[in-house]
Amino acid sequence: MPTNSEVRAQTPGADRPRRKDPALEEYFLDAAFDEMFDDQGVVRPHYESLLSTFSKLPKEELHRRKQSADISFLMQGITFTVYGRDEGTERIFPYDLLPRIITAGEWERIEKGLTQRITALNLFLRDVYNEGKILADGFVPREIVYSCRHFRREMRGLQVPRNVYIAVTGTDLLRLGNGEFVVLEDNLRVPSGVSYMLTCRRVMKRIFPQLFAKYGVRPIEHYTRVLLSTLRSLAPEGRPEPSIVLLTPGIYNSAYFEHTYLARQMGIELVEGRDLVIHDNVVYMRTTAGLKRVDVIYRRVDDDFIDPLAFRSDSILGVAGLFNAYRAGNVTLANAFGTGLADDKAIYAYVPAIIRYYLGEEPLLQNVETYLMTDPAQRQHTLQNLDKLVVKAVGESGGYGMLIGPKSTQAQRDEFHALIEANPRNYIAQPTLDFSRAPCLMGSPDSPSIEPRHVDLRPYILYGDKVTIVPGGLTRVALPKGSLVVNSSQGGGSKDTWVLND
Amino acid sequence: MLSRVADSLYWMSRYLERAEHTVRLLDVNMGLMLDRSSTSAEGRWLRVLAALGNPEEIEWRGDYNQLVRALTFDADNRASITACIVSARENARQVRDELSTEQWQRLNRLYLQATEPNISGNGHGLEEFLPVVLDGLHLFQGVTDTTMNHGEGWQFIQMGRSIERAFATVKLLDIYYRDFFVTAQQTPDSNQYLEWIGLLRCCTAFEAYCRVYTADLTHEWILEFLLLNPDFPHSVRYAIDGLRQAVISVQQSSGRLASDELSRMAGRLQASLNFAEINEILDQDVSAYMSNILRQCLLIHDLIYGSYIHYSVQAALSA
């Protein structure tokens, strides 16, 4: 890792913006793509207004607005739950005041690329759970599919409404040094975070109304309406006025705030497993007026826990008999069961091939280079370079179960060495990515400073009768200096994402 | 409305009403400790504990400050004000989507005020803390009435509040009656006068009482006012009127599951209070009369549960 002084020496003009403005004294550029400055150290045009607005604000005023945003988050109870501590520990979601700005051109590429990718992944799921043509043709190895923990044999031969398996996706994108967006993860099971996207926007609009208006930001507020019509479009046949519910694991889930938020914004019932009963393969909810039929379940409970009869029998979050009701076609679940297959990190390596196979197109969004541990040569390479690579368990998400090579200790590397050798199918490795950084408001109230921090981007893709992506997403920030981990469970924060009209 | 939601709203409301009652009881009795009185400190605080249903693990150990602090801040003790607020918020959090944003923010703020360590760790905070909680509770009630749909959920909130209030008030009257109404003369001496004002204040009833009976206090009038007054919101009769009203509304809105038993019980209790006369009550065994009301309240609680919350699936399918 180069030190700051080396970077300054290497990068021409890197110290230019710093001199003009004391707030930028800590803003150093290095090889990572910077969202605000180009590699000459000149402010990108779409960040000019933002930077000048923030530099002009007196620090008292900045502090006041920051506090006002803080209070707003706290009072709305916008919190998430941290696992591994006392059960039910709530924290405010950390956030940053400076929005991340995406130009219309950049967004257009992202939108096209994601639409292509989701369409292909959905076709892949349908194929694998039905004829299995792609396996027969040898483009994806059978053993990888069948050995996936999230592959659900129970789904074989099942017709799902409109053939849509993945109604809601939150794909994680990174931006590499050359400015290109690449896909890091396809979250096809129960992606979360969309409520933070929506509430961050509401707070930002209140705290910086003029700036917001000046920028001409594309709206995202219709997300919940689109989500609702997506769910409605997936209702079982013969149910023209479907009753739709959101199934939550309950108040101890880390995303419980989001579940209540979405249910309220859509005007649908928020249910827990214990609210639902199955009789004759029909799902009902217990109401004060007796049992009421349920047609569509937007479920935020993982496959494993959703039906103790079909999957994990020790689950108390689920509903006994739900899977049979689903098989009988009496209820739709979004997302379908078994979608975790397609976001398995080993399958991920095959997504470019999947896109070419089904759509006959070149992928518009690239993958991150991925080493499969099932391949002896790639495994060998990985084991020799554990200190440079990132190792991830294929079925995990949320930053759990991974090794970040450059930040690891010898003991951790030895542990992963043994883990990989014991179960190669369970791990993949990727290079440590130097992904893009965006300006964040750091420092103390007395001396606020603008510093770069690593960010990713999670747009939300809805797939009902068509694919819809609201222009925006959740930008997650690795708030500690130099950190590369953006997960909220691991100390990451978020910022508002502004997609501009032309 | 989901049964689980109705359950949570009902209990949220009960816990808040319980917190409010406890706040007033503590506040009033702490105030009375400042005056010289014929009631010993021990007698007074044992009475308070009895009125709160003798919560487990809280005992009178001779220091009323310590007792009040335990009843206020000790979140581990289910009877404390803080524990009630925490429970209410926990219930509210489970039905976050049913509450208006204003309600949630109010309750969340109250929760933060009650659990904030720098308030509860502060040795002098009690006198300031109780009014803050009371304010918070009143504000919550205000936004509940002005921002929430007055539909089924609101009715379950009314049910919870009414039944909790009726129960607590009857219990309080019962304890006071046993303690000193039995030996009371017609005109109370100044000590007794103070205690009786205290009882009325515990129900925010002193001024309302004066408006009806003037500042002359007699135990018949106090009992009559707190049990049978039709217009005063903290009287038992008023609370039961509200309960019956909520029961009827829920029955109408949920339609299919009309519970004859529940409406009969609620109606009977209401009628018995509406047509009762204080002299008749005083002529009989007053304690037995109070116990009977408490028993009926418990029965109504069970019926609400059986009809709307824990009903059997078979019964519901055949309906």
Side-chain angles (χ1 to χ4, degrees), chain A residues 91-111:
Chain A
R91 290 233 209 110
I92 310 187
F93 198 69
Y95 69 97
D96 181 70
L97 271 189
L98 292 168
R100 191 251 189 97
I101 302 171
I102 294 175
T103 62
E106 289 166 348
W107 181 252
E108 198 187 331
R109 280 197 298 282
I110 293 174
E111 194 173 17

PDB file of all heavy atoms in Angstrom, chain A residues 91-111:
ATOM      1  N   ARG A  91     -29.294   0.092  16.624  1.00  0.00           N
ATOM      2  CA  ARG A  91     -28.397   1.206  16.367  1.00  0.00           C
ATOM      3  C   ARG A  91     -29.009   2.084  15.297  1.00  0.00           C
ATOM      4  O   ARG A  91     -29.727   1.605  14.437  1.00  0.00           O
ATOM      5  CB  ARG A  91     -27.075   0.675  15.804  1.00  0.00           C
ATOM      6  CG  ARG A  91     -26.272  -0.066  16.805  1.00  0.00           C
ATOM      7  CD  ARG A  91     -24.864   0.514  16.860  1.00  0.00           C
ATOM      8  NE  ARG A  91     -23.916  -0.494  17.247  1.00  0.00           N
ATOM      9  CZ  ARG A  91     -23.017  -0.996  16.417  1.00  0.00           C
ATOM     10  NH1 ARG A  91     -22.971  -0.590  15.164  1.00  0.00           N
ATOM     11  NH2 ARG A  91     -22.169  -1.893  16.832  1.00  0.00           N
ATOM     12  N   ILE A  92     -28.664   3.362  15.339  1.00  0.00           N
ATOM     13  CA  ILE A  92     -29.074   4.213  14.236  1.00  0.00           C
ATOM     14  C   ILE A  92     -28.237   3.821  13.051  1.00  0.00           C
ATOM     15  O   ILE A  92     -27.068   3.491  13.190  1.00  0.00           O
ATOM     16  CB  ILE A  92     -28.762   5.693  14.461  1.00  0.00           C
ATOM     17  CG1 ILE A  92     -29.265   6.142  15.808  1.00  0.00           C
ATOM     18  CG2 ILE A  92     -29.387   6.530  13.378  1.00  0.00           C
ATOM     19  CD1 ILE A  92     -29.119   7.625  15.948  1.00  0.00           C
ATOM     20  N   PHE A  93     -28.843   3.879  11.896  1.00  0.00           N
ATOM     21  CA  PHE A  93     -28.096   3.575  10.693  1.00  0.00           C
ATOM     22  C   PHE A  93     -27.138   4.727  10.422  1.00  0.00           C
ATOM     23  O   PHE A  93     -27.565   5.857  10.269  1.00  0.00           O
ATOM     24  CB  PHE A  93     -29.084   3.412   9.543  1.00  0.00           C
ATOM     25  CG  PHE A  93     -28.497   2.710   8.383  1.00  0.00           C
ATOM     26  CD1 PHE A  93     -28.177   1.375   8.483  1.00  0.00           C
ATOM     27  CD2 PHE A  93     -28.250   3.374   7.201  1.00  0.00           C
ATOM     28  CE1 PHE A  93     -27.624   0.711   7.411  1.00  0.00           C
ATOM     29  CE2 PHE A  93     -27.710   2.714   6.128  1.00  0.00           C
ATOM     30  CZ  PHE A  93     -27.391   1.383   6.231  1.00  0.00           C
ATOM     31  N   PRO A  94     -25.817   4.476  10.374  1.00  0.00           N
ATOM     32  CA  PRO A  94     -24.902   5.583  10.132  1.00  0.00           C
ATOM     33  C   PRO A  94     -25.054   6.067   8.686  1.00  0.00           C
ATOM     34  O   PRO A  94     -25.301   5.265   7.795  1.00  0.00           O
ATOM     35  CB  PRO A  94     -23.516   4.962  10.331  1.00  0.00           C
ATOM     36  CG  PRO A  94     -23.729   3.553  10.706  1.00  0.00           C
ATOM     37  CD  PRO A  94     -25.150   3.186  10.478  1.00  0.00           C
ATOM     38  N   TYR A  95     -24.923   7.340   8.495  1.00  0.00           N
ATOM     39  CA  TYR A  95     -25.113   7.864   7.140  1.00  0.00           C
ATOM     40  C   TYR A  95     -24.192   9.047   6.961  1.00  0.00           C
ATOM     41  O   TYR A  95     -23.668   9.607   7.925  1.00  0.00           O
ATOM     42  CB  TYR A  95     -26.570   8.306   6.939  1.00  0.00           C
ATOM     43  CG  TYR A  95     -26.856   9.514   7.754  1.00  0.00           C
ATOM     44  CD1 TYR A  95     -26.805  10.780   7.211  1.00  0.00           C
ATOM     45  CD2 TYR A  95     -27.065   9.374   9.122  1.00  0.00           C
ATOM     46  CE1 TYR A  95     -26.973  11.874   8.009  1.00  0.00           C
ATOM     47  CE2 TYR A  95     -27.231  10.458   9.916  1.00  0.00           C
ATOM     48  CZ  TYR A  95     -27.188  11.714   9.355  1.00  0.00           C
ATOM     49  OH  TYR A  95     -27.333  12.804  10.152  1.00  0.00           O
ATOM     50  N   ASP A  96     -24.038   9.436   5.725  1.00  0.00           N
ATOM     51  CA  ASP A  96     -23.180  10.566   5.421  1.00  0.00           C
ATOM     52  C   ASP A  96     -23.991  11.615   4.689  1.00  0.00           C
ATOM     53  O   ASP A  96     -24.854  11.293   3.879  1.00  0.00           O
ATOM     54  CB  ASP A  96     -22.015  10.095   4.558  1.00  0.00           C
ATOM     55  CG  ASP A  96     -21.085  11.241   4.233  1.00  0.00           C
ATOM     56  OD1 ASP A  96     -20.411  11.698   5.155  1.00  0.00           O
ATOM     57  OD2 ASP A  96     -21.080  11.696   3.079  1.00  0.00           O
ATOM     58  N   LEU A  97     -23.696  12.877   4.999  1.00  0.00           N
ATOM     59  CA  LEU A  97     -24.514  13.964   4.454  1.00  0.00           C
ATOM     60  C   LEU A  97     -24.278  14.244   2.977  1.00  0.00           C
ATOM     61  O   LEU A  97     -25.143  14.787   2.305  1.00  0.00           O
ATOM     62  CB  LEU A  97     -24.254  15.254   5.224  1.00  0.00           C
ATOM     63  CG  LEU A  97     -25.097  15.529   6.459  1.00  0.00           C
ATOM     64  CD1 LEU A  97     -24.833  16.931   6.942  1.00  0.00           C
ATOM     65  CD2 LEU A  97     -26.578  15.348   6.184  1.00  0.00           C
ATOM     66  N   LEU A  98     -23.076  13.946   2.467  1.00  0.00           N
ATOM     67  CA  LEU A  98     -22.778  14.291   1.075  1.00  0.00           C
ATOM     68  C   LEU A  98     -23.370  13.239   0.141  1.00  0.00           C
ATOM     69  O   LEU A  98     -23.046  12.066   0.255  1.00  0.00           O
ATOM     70  CB  LEU A  98     -21.265  14.360   0.859  1.00  0.00           C
ATOM     71  CG  LEU A  98     -20.538  15.501   1.555  1.00  0.00           C
ATOM     72  CD1 LEU A  98     -19.043  15.283   1.508  1.00  0.00           C
ATOM     73  CD2 LEU A  98     -20.894  16.806   0.910  1.00  0.00           C
ATOM     74  N   PRO A  99     -24.227  13.649  -0.778  1.00  0.00           N
ATOM     75  CA  PRO A  99     -24.817  12.664  -1.680  1.00  0.00           C
ATOM     76  C   PRO A  99     -23.798  12.136  -2.677  1.00  0.00           C
ATOM     77  O   PRO A  99     -22.817  12.805  -2.979  1.00  0.00           O
ATOM     78  CB  PRO A  99     -25.915  13.443  -2.378  1.00  0.00           C
ATOM     79  CG  PRO A  99     -25.499  14.856  -2.293  1.00  0.00           C
ATOM     80  CD  PRO A  99     -24.724  15.003  -1.016  1.00  0.00           C
ATOM     81  N   ARG A 100     -24.045  10.935  -3.165  1.00  0.00           N
ATOM     82  CA  ARG A 100     -23.233  10.405  -4.237  1.00  0.00           C
ATOM     83  C   ARG A 100     -23.973  10.687  -5.540  1.00  0.00           C
ATOM     84  O   ARG A 100     -25.167  10.422  -5.643  1.00  0.00           O
ATOM     85  CB  ARG A 100     -23.095   8.903  -4.023  1.00  0.00           C
ATOM     86  CG  ARG A 100     -22.072   8.229  -4.898  1.00  0.00           C
ATOM     87  CD  ARG A 100     -22.704   7.358  -5.944  1.00  0.00           C
ATOM     88  NE  ARG A 100     -21.679   6.589  -6.610  1.00  0.00           N
ATOM     89  CZ  ARG A 100     -21.370   5.347  -6.287  1.00  0.00           C
ATOM     90  NH1 ARG A 100     -22.029   4.745  -5.329  1.00  0.00           N
ATOM     91  NH2 ARG A 100     -20.422   4.712  -6.922  1.00  0.00           N
ATOM     92  N   ILE A 101     -23.263  11.203  -6.510  1.00  0.00           N
ATOM     93  CA  ILE A 101     -23.939  11.681  -7.715  1.00  0.00           C
ATOM     94  C   ILE A 101     -23.580  10.808  -8.912  1.00  0.00           C
ATOM     95  O   ILE A 101     -22.418  10.491  -9.136  1.00  0.00           O
ATOM     96  CB  ILE A 101     -23.576  13.156  -8.000  1.00  0.00           C
ATOM     97  CG1 ILE A 101     -23.970  14.005  -6.784  1.00  0.00           C
ATOM     98  CG2 ILE A 101     -24.269  13.652  -9.246  1.00  0.00           C
ATOM     99  CD1 ILE A 101     -23.477  15.418  -6.857  1.00  0.00           C
ATOM    100  N   ILE A 102     -24.619  10.407  -9.641  1.00  0.00           N
ATOM    101  CA  ILE A 102     -24.418   9.565 -10.814  1.00  0.00           C
ATOM    102  C   ILE A 102     -25.032  10.286 -12.010  1.00  0.00           C
ATOM    103  O   ILE A 102     -26.183  10.731 -11.946  1.00  0.00           O
ATOM    104  CB  ILE A 102     -25.086   8.191 -10.604  1.00  0.00           C
ATOM    105  CG1 ILE A 102     -24.357   7.459  -9.471  1.00  0.00           C
ATOM    106  CG2 ILE A 102     -25.065   7.368 -11.878  1.00  0.00           C
ATOM    107  CD1 ILE A 102     -24.991   6.152  -9.096  1.00  0.00           C
ATOM    108  N   THR A 103     -24.272  10.396 -13.075  1.00  0.00           N
ATOM    109  CA  THR A 103     -24.786  11.143 -14.230  1.00  0.00           C
ATOM    110  C   THR A 103     -25.759  10.278 -15.021  1.00  0.00           C
ATOM    111  O   THR A 103     -25.800   9.055 -14.870  1.00  0.00           O
ATOM    112  CB  THR A 103     -23.646  11.575 -15.164  1.00  0.00           C
ATOM    113  OG1 THR A 103     -23.017  10.381 -15.643  1.00  0.00           O
ATOM    114  CG2 THR A 103     -22.613  12.415 -14.445  1.00  0.00           C
ATOM    115  N   ALA A 104     -26.523  10.947 -15.872  1.00  0.00           N
ATOM    116  CA  ALA A 104     -27.536  10.240 -16.655  1.00  0.00           C
ATOM    117  C   ALA A 104     -26.891   9.163 -17.526  1.00  0.00           C
ATOM    118  O   ALA A 104     -27.422   8.055 -17.671  1.00  0.00           O
ATOM    119  CB  ALA A 104     -28.302  11.235 -17.523  1.00  0.00           C
ATOM    120  N   GLY A 105     -25.737   9.466 -18.089  1.00  0.00           N
ATOM    121  CA  GLY A 105     -25.055   8.515 -18.967  1.00  0.00           C
ATOM    122  C   GLY A 105     -24.607   7.276 -18.212  1.00  0.00           C
ATOM    123  O   GLY A 105     -24.813   6.143 -18.672  1.00  0.00           O
ATOM    124  N   GLU A 106     -24.006   7.519 -17.044  1.00  0.00           N
ATOM    125  CA  GLU A 106     -23.566   6.382 -16.224  1.00  0.00           C
ATOM    126  C   GLU A 106     -24.749   5.503 -15.847  1.00  0.00           C
ATOM    127  O   GLU A 106     -24.672   4.282 -15.900  1.00  0.00           O
ATOM    128  CB  GLU A 106     -22.879   6.887 -14.939  1.00  0.00           C
ATOM    129  CG  GLU A 106     -21.532   7.517 -15.158  1.00  0.00           C
ATOM    130  CD  GLU A 106     -21.039   8.312 -13.937  1.00  0.00           C
ATOM    131  OE1 GLU A 106     -21.837   8.557 -13.008  1.00  0.00           O
ATOM    132  OE2 GLU A 106     -19.865   8.699 -13.944  1.00  0.00           O
ATOM    133  N   TRP A 107     -25.837   6.167 -15.472  1.00  0.00           N
ATOM    134  CA  TRP A 107     -27.010   5.413 -15.033  1.00  0.00           C
ATOM    135  C   TRP A 107     -27.585   4.564 -16.159  1.00  0.00           C
ATOM    136  O   TRP A 107     -28.019   3.431 -15.950  1.00  0.00           O
ATOM    137  CB  TRP A 107     -28.079   6.351 -14.464  1.00  0.00           C
ATOM    138  CG  TRP A 107     -29.267   5.564 -14.005  1.00  0.00           C
ATOM    139  CD1 TRP A 107     -30.486   5.503 -14.598  1.00  0.00           C
ATOM    140  CD2 TRP A 107     -29.317   4.676 -12.885  1.00  0.00           C
ATOM    141  NE1 TRP A 107     -31.306   4.637 -13.914  1.00  0.00           N
ATOM    142  CE2 TRP A 107     -30.603   4.121 -12.859  1.00  0.00           C
ATOM    143  CE3 TRP A 107     -28.404   4.302 -11.900  1.00  0.00           C
ATOM    144  CZ2 TRP A 107     -31.009   3.205 -11.889  1.00  0.00           C
ATOM    145  CZ3 TRP A 107     -28.791   3.394 -10.937  1.00  0.00           C
ATOM    146  CH2 TRP A 107     -30.076   2.859 -10.937  1.00  0.00           C
ATOM    147  N   GLU A 108     -27.579   5.122 -17.360  1.00  0.00           N
ATOM    148  CA  GLU A 108     -28.156   4.394 -18.483  1.00  0.00           C
ATOM    149  C   GLU A 108     -27.427   3.069 -18.688  1.00  0.00           C
ATOM    150  O   GLU A 108     -28.046   2.020 -18.910  1.00  0.00           O
ATOM    151  CB  GLU A 108     -28.067   5.256 -19.745  1.00  0.00           C
ATOM    152  CG  GLU A 108     -29.002   4.790 -20.823  1.00  0.00           C
ATOM    153  CD  GLU A 108     -28.783   5.551 -22.121  1.00  0.00           C
ATOM    154  OE1 GLU A 108     -28.359   6.726 -22.051  1.00  0.00           O
ATOM    155  OE2 GLU A 108     -28.998   4.945 -23.176  1.00  0.00           O
ATOM    156  N   ARG A 109     -26.088   3.107 -18.565  1.00  0.00           N
ATOM    157  CA  ARG A 109     -25.309   1.874 -18.720  1.00  0.00           C
ATOM    158  C   ARG A 109     -25.635   0.873 -17.607  1.00  0.00           C
ATOM    159  O   ARG A 109     -25.795  -0.308 -17.854  1.00  0.00           O
ATOM    160  CB  ARG A 109     -23.805   2.193 -18.707  1.00  0.00           C
ATOM    161  CG  ARG A 109     -23.297   2.706 -20.051  1.00  0.00           C
ATOM    162  CD  ARG A 109     -21.779   2.623 -20.134  1.00  0.00           C
ATOM    163  NE  ARG A 109     -21.089   3.446 -19.141  1.00  0.00           N
ATOM    164  CZ  ARG A 109     -20.941   4.766 -19.253  1.00  0.00           C
ATOM    165  NH1 ARG A 109     -21.427   5.404 -20.300  1.00  0.00           N
ATOM    166  NH2 ARG A 109     -20.308   5.451 -18.323  1.00  0.00           N
ATOM    167  N   ILE A 110     -25.743   1.404 -16.390  1.00  0.00           N
ATOM    168  CA  ILE A 110     -26.062   0.522 -15.256  1.00  0.00           C
ATOM    169  C   ILE A 110     -27.426  -0.140 -15.467  1.00  0.00           C
ATOM    170  O   ILE A 110     -27.599  -1.341 -15.310  1.00  0.00           O
ATOM    171  CB  ILE A 110     -26.077   1.332 -13.940  1.00  0.00           C
ATOM    172  CG1 ILE A 110     -24.671   1.833 -13.610  1.00  0.00           C
ATOM    173  CG2 ILE A 110     -26.644   0.504 -12.800  1.00  0.00           C
ATOM    174  CD1 ILE A 110     -24.606   2.750 -12.412  1.00  0.00           C
ATOM    175  N   GLU A 111     -28.389   0.677 -15.873  1.00  0.00           N
ATOM    176  CA  GLU A 111     -29.759   0.189 -16.012  1.00  0.00           C
ATOM    177  C   GLU A 111     -29.844  -0.913 -17.071  1.00  0.00           C
ATOM    178  O   GLU A 111     -30.442  -1.967 -16.850  1.00  0.00           O
ATOM    179  CB  GLU A 111     -30.657   1.370 -16.388  1.00  0.00           C
ATOM    180  CG  GLU A 111     -32.123   1.084 -16.228  1.00  0.00           C
ATOM    181  CD  GLU A 111     -32.972   2.329 -16.438  1.00  0.00           C
ATOM    182  OE1 GLU A 111     -32.447   3.313 -17.023  1.00  0.00           O
ATOM    183  OE2 GLU A 111     -34.138   2.320 -16.032  1.00  0.00           O
TER     184      GLU A 111
END
